[in-house]
Amino acid sequence: MPVQLFVTCLVNSLYPDVGKATVALLERAGHEVEFPVDQTCCGQPSFNGGFAAEAKQQARQTLDVLDATEGPIVVPSGSCAAMIIHHNPELLHDDPDYLAKAERVAARTHELTQFLAADGDPGTPVAGAATTTYHASCHALRWLGVLEEPKRLLDDAGVDRIELAGEDECCGFGGLFSIKAPEVSGAMMNTKIDQIEASGAEVVVGVDVSCLLHIAGGLRRRGSTIRVRHVAEMLAGDAE
Amino acid sequence: MTTFRNRVQDAFATGVPIAIDRGARGHYDKRVKAAAVFPQMEDMRDRARVIRAEVIASLDEVLAEFADAVAARGGKVFFAADAAEANDYIVNLARAEGVSRAVKVKSMVTEEIELNAALEAAGIEAVETDLGEFIVQLAGEKPSHIIAPVLHKDRYAVGELLAEQLGVPYTDDPTELNDIARKHLRSRFLSAEMGISGVNMAVAEDGAVALVTNEGNGRLCTTAPQIHVAVMGMERLVRTRDDLAVILEVLARSATGQGLSVYTNIVTGPRRSGEPDGPDQFHVVIVDNGRSATLGSRVAEILYCIRCGACLNACPVYRHVGGHPYATTYPGPIGKVLTPSLYGLEEWHELPATSSLCGACQEVCPVRIDIPKLLVELRQQSTGHMPRSIRVGLAGFAWVSTRPRLYRTLTRFVAFFGRWWSKDGWLRHVPFLLRGWRIDRDVPAPAPETFNDWWRKRGA
Ligand code: SF4
């Protein structure tokens, strides 16, 4: 059975390399990857912002596209996976047709590292020994329980990984929150970056490009040489 | 009123006390340790949630049972529809009984109704006897945390305040500071005619009210004066003593990491004949003040709250700004839901927006309130207050999202033109909408080719 890739709007437009790395990993694990080209945005930004009508439009579009496919759906983003798995059924609870679709699709959807870990992916050693640390994105961690899977995959791939003190503290992104309350958001980000710098890591990895772009934006402004990568890129051997 | 953002900017400009972050993290760590050595913790949280959910679902009935039980024990119950009614009742009672001084045990609901101001206006001295609350009162400030009112001050600041206000020699030794406060308060305990407390949990089956404190002041306030007035939010109930036991198991652990707080007082009615001490009168003031409306709303779950303060300690926003920028009695995650639901979104729509929805609050809440979900619910009710650019932008994006061909065309267009706006993968200028980012963040540029296009070329 094929694996359906839901790549997310941010990966599509900002970080296509994360999508390419995801394809490489899935194919390496022996899966046939399909990419439904009519997918757009899952609606998470609208949903979190309280824009339910907009979120519903996007959720229905996503569900129409994904429900027409078969096989597991893999998402290289904890927050978008959490949207599809948890929030779509909430959002569409009073829409019987789409609720059924939402539940069917939710049952097929997996965050990338959880999918790979459950797959028993033995990991392929990655070249380059940059010291790496893992930041736990909030939605992946608290809505999906993603924490050990990416770490284990990195370890199995022979990545030199060190623990990040405060790994489960929010980086302060939160979508619209960073626009509505940029000072607090920035203070949270600076705490996170202090923790990353204090860890001694050369690369910080995560499972959600939204948090990663926030952290990367702050690191770059500081002139830091610490690199920011998605776990998929690390595992696919693309840490540079 | 100033905006939350202004108040945060002010707080940052003057420096948010380091004590806030340290204090909140300290309590958080203690909670983690307490939960680790209490294997039943998760099970108790489940039970606590069920207990509170059932009470809130049948609150009318439970309240009636409680009121009858208090009356049967010789106590008086007063239902106050709002803050003014509650304050009037207490002030009138104090006047009728010739009270000139009242001693108080820390209570957030009396902060909420601003009882101290009402008493002072009537010429009745109100003395806070909880050390932290006493310090806040001396400083003329508001509590910055629902269980640790003085979290924003370290012991040096407290030492300076006591030296200045009480004319004692400066010290920053915690034991000495405690002694100073104790000496100052002792005489007031003995001369006060009225003791005022909050209620941590009231028990419907026998009309008892439970008070948990870590200082002996609660016990003194509720036994030494002839009149004890207990003020409670309308929702602070459990049905039975057994249920109370479950709540107590999770309350102190979540709040301070203690298995049980140092003092747990269970007060049932005034002194009965044959009893050596206790007040002659026992009054319970049950405060609605917006709670009925909350009960009938889509965020009624917030009424499960047992006011442990764990969500404040876990909250990264709270840790960075402290309690005061929230400008409400209840700061932090609990306050972001409770304040707008008690007083209305019209005035308080900002608070639900000031969260990254990280979920740290929900992870620690002893009654597992889904705070992020409630925040989203309140956001849904207040989108009209969002900036127009965001409203229009999201509506446009959603519209495009339902038209995949157009979406592909537009994202390709953005990818193509992105090269003029960017350098090395970063935007050269931070867009206007993200102007708040300018100080400390760069913004990534769109990639030259979308994933969608790459995939379609790859297949071709
Ligand atoms: S919402 Fe939960 S964690 Fe926060 S104060 Fe209330 S009971 Fe405690």
Side-chain angles (χ1 to χ4, degrees):
Chain A
M1 208 184 309
V3 168
Q4 306 296 331
L5 174 60
F6 184 81
V7 82
T8 82
C9 62
L10 284 181
V11 165
N12 184 56
S13 284
L14 294 179
Y15 299 103
D17 287 350
V18 172
K20 296 173 199 171
T22 303
V23 173
L25 288 179
L26 290 169
E27 288 181 347
R28 193 173 80 190
H31 297 286
E32 181 202 335
V33 180
E34 290 183 358
F35 175 75
V37 293
D38 282 351
Q39 61 180 270
T40 57
C41 167
C42 68
Q44 190 205 168
S46 306
F47 177 78
N48 286 346
F51 293 85
E54 287 79 0
K56 279 181 191 167
Q57 288 177 355
Q58 292 168 310
R60 290 192 186 109
Q61 164 72 20
T62 303
L63 292 171
D64 284 342
V65 170
L66 295 177
D67 197 40
T69 64
E70 55 167 7
I73 299 159
V74 175
V75 188
S77 157
S79 57
C80 304
M83 179 73 204
I84 295 174
I85 295 170
H86 292 294
H87 301 315
N88 275 352
E90 269 168 42
L91 183 65
L92 298 163
H93 71 275
D94 53 1
D95 180 345
D97 291 349
Y98 274 94
L99 179 59
K101 268 192 192 181
E103 280 166 353
R104 277 198 302 273
V105 168
R108 289 168 51 206
T109 300
H110 309 267
E111 185 276 329
L112 173 66
T113 62
Q114 286 188 328
F115 183 77
L116 290 175
D119 225 23
D121 182 55
T124 305
V126 296
T131 312
T132 300
T133 197
Y134 176 73
H135 160 67
S137 283
C138 301
H139 288 218
L141 175 68
R142 300 205 175 87
W143 275 263
L144 301 174
V146 173
L147 181 65
E148 295 310 321
E149 298 90 338
K151 291 183 177 181
R152 207 176 71 222
L153 291 168
L154 290 165
D155 293 347
D156 288 352
V159 172
D160 173 24
R161 186 177 65 80
I162 49 178
E163 296 291 342
L164 177 62
E167 64 178 0
D168 61 348
E169 289 172 26
C170 180
C171 75
F173 178 61
L176 291 182
F177 166 69
S178 69
I179 296 174
K180 289 272 296 184
E183 293 82 10
V184 193
S185 160
M188 287 158 68
M189 181 205 68
N190 279 310
T191 300
K192 173 58 61 180
I193 291 182
D194 290 344
Q195 290 164 342
I196 292 169
E197 286 183 335
S199 76
E202 296 160 87
V203 183
V204 55
V205 299
V207 294
D208 233 315
V209 294
S210 48
C211 319
L212 294 178
L213 77 83
H214 193 231
I215 292 170
L219 280 169
R220 182 166 192 268
R221 182 60 67 87
R222 279 196 193 183
S224 168
T225 56
I226 297 173
R227 299 191 296 283
V228 181
R229 291 291 177 271
H230 191 279
V231 169
E233 295 173 289
M234 274 317 267
L235 295 175
D238 180 18
E240 290 319 304
Chain B
M1 199 169 78
T2 54
T3 65
F4 178 81
R5 216 181 139 186
N6 295 147
R7 295 189 297 270
V8 166
Q9 284 165 340
D10 290 348
F12 283 176
T14 49
V16 178
I18 306 165
I20 290 278
D21 185 61
R22 198 167 40 209
R25 282 174 190 269
H27 285 305
Y28 178 84
D29 292 344
K30 282 185 197 153
R31 178 203 166 275
V32 171
K33 287 201 188 97
V37 296
F38 184 60
Q40 307 92 307
M41 185 71 176
E42 295 311 305
D43 182 42
M44 283 291 170
R45 288 174 69 187
D46 291 338
R47 290 174 62 184
R49 178 176 172 86
V50 170
I51 287 168
R52 293 291 292 146
E54 285 176 1
V55 166
I56 298 304
S58 51
L59 190 56
D60 281 1
E61 191 190 305
V62 182
L63 268 172
E65 186 187 349
F66 172 69
D68 289 347
V70 172
R73 298 244 185 184
K76 287 211 171 59
V77 175
F78 179 71
F79 283 93
D82 55 22
E85 278 190 26
N87 289 336
D88 285 350
Y89 178 83
I90 299 166
V91 167
N92 290 338
L93 174 67
R95 281 207 180 111
E97 300 292 334
V99 172
S100 60
R101 175 179 284 159
V103 281
K104 289 188 66 211
V105 198
K106 187 187 111 52
S107 138
M108 290 315 290
V109 71
T110 64
E111 290 284 341
E112 173 189 328
I113 63 176
E114 301 186 333
L115 174 60
N116 289 5
L119 289 169
E120 304 283 349
I124 299 155
E125 187 191 1
V127 183
E128 293 291 349
T129 65
D130 174 278
L131 182 58
E133 198 75 30
F134 170 68
I135 291 163
V136 166
Q137 191 182 28
L138 267 189
E141 295 174 349
K142 297 258 185 207
S144 62
H145 187 289
I146 62 173
I147 64 150
V150 73
L151 195 71
H152 57 290
K153 283 196 195 305
D154 59 19
R155 59 194 163 101
Y156 309 103
V158 172
E160 278 164 25
L161 179 76
L162 293 195
E164 189 186 300
Q165 293 286 325
L166 303 181
V168 293
Y170 172 85
T171 170
D172 49 45
D173 178 74
T175 316
E176 287 178 26
L177 288 171
N178 241 313
D179 281 346
I180 295 170
R182 184 169 296 149
K183 276 208 195 82
H184 179 82
L185 290 172
R186 180 64 60 162
S187 62
R188 284 159 177 83
F189 273 121
L190 299 177
S191 60
E193 300 94 345
M194 180 184 270
I196 301 174
S197 73
V199 171
N200 285 95
M201 247 339 127
V203 183
E205 67 175 356
D206 62 355
V209 300
L211 287 176
V212 302
T213 66
N214 277 324
E215 301 164 30
N217 62 328
R219 194 158 285 189
L220 262 177
C221 285
T222 56
T223 50
Q226 289 109 46
I227 307 168
H228 173 199
V229 180
V231 188
M232 61 184 264
M234 192 179 94
E235 81 289 6
R236 303 299 290 279
L237 282 155
V238 289
R239 281 184 187 275
T240 65
R241 290 271 184 130
D242 285 349
D243 290 350
L244 175 65
V246 173
I247 300 294
L248 292 177
E249 289 281 16
V250 294
L251 177 57
R253 283 188 173 85
S254 303
T256 50
Q258 293 165 291
L260 194 62
S261 36
V262 179
Y263 295 91
T264 303
N265 292 350
I266 299 182
V267 180
T268 36
R271 178 164 59 93
R272 281 173 289 259
S273 58
E275 287 181 345
D277 49 26
D280 298 325
Q281 295 183 32
F282 175 61
H283 299 256
V284 182
V285 178
I286 300 176
V287 180
D288 184 327
N289 208 29
R291 287 166 175 80
S292 293
T294 303
L295 190 60
S297 77
R298 297 176 61 105
V299 297
E301 187 183 339
I302 203 62
L303 297 175
Y304 300 0
C305 174
I306 60 172
R307 300 288 192 277
C308 71
C311 56
L312 279 65
N313 301 329
C315 177
V317 174
Y318 179 87
R319 286 178 182 178
H320 281 91
V321 306
H324 291 148
Y326 295 84
T328 157
T329 312
Y330 306 101
I334 168 68
K336 284 178 202 176
V337 180
L338 191 62
T339 303
S341 56
L342 292 181
Y343 308 126
L345 271 170
E346 201 44 49
E347 191 184 351
W348 295 97
H349 58 86
E350 275 188 303
L351 290 185
T354 57
S355 164
S356 64
L357 301 182
C358 77
C361 46
Q362 178 194 12
E363 191 173 77
V364 298
C365 176
V367 286
R368 302 193 194 281
I369 299 175
D370 192 344
I371 295 175
K373 185 175 173 180
L374 301 183
L375 290 172
V376 167
E377 174 62 41
L378 292 176
R379 289 176 182 189
Q380 289 181 4
Q381 296 171 21
S382 54
T383 47
H385 292 284
M386 273 286 187
R388 212 181 119 78
S389 52
I390 291 178
R391 278 185 285 146
V392 173
L394 280 178
F397 185 50
W399 189 82
V400 173
S401 299
T402 56
R403 289 158 179 79
R405 291 171 63 97
L406 176 63
Y407 180 89
R408 275 195 295 273
T409 308
L410 286 178
T411 48
R412 185 178 303 139
F413 179 86
V414 168
F416 183 78
F417 285 101
R419 69 192 68 187
W420 279 286
W421 312 326
S422 63
K423 187 168 185 284
D424 308 330
W426 295 87
L427 289 186
R428 277 189 295 200
H429 302 287
V430 176
F432 183 69
L433 193 59
L434 290 176
R435 61 196 177 282
W437 281 37
R438 277 183 196 141
I439 316 160
D440 47 16
R441 278 156 286 189
D442 290 339
V443 181
E449 183 184 49
T450 65
F451 179 83
N452 206 311
D453 279 348
W454 173 81
W455 176 269
R456 285 164 357 127
K457 273 192 203 148
R458 180 188 194 239

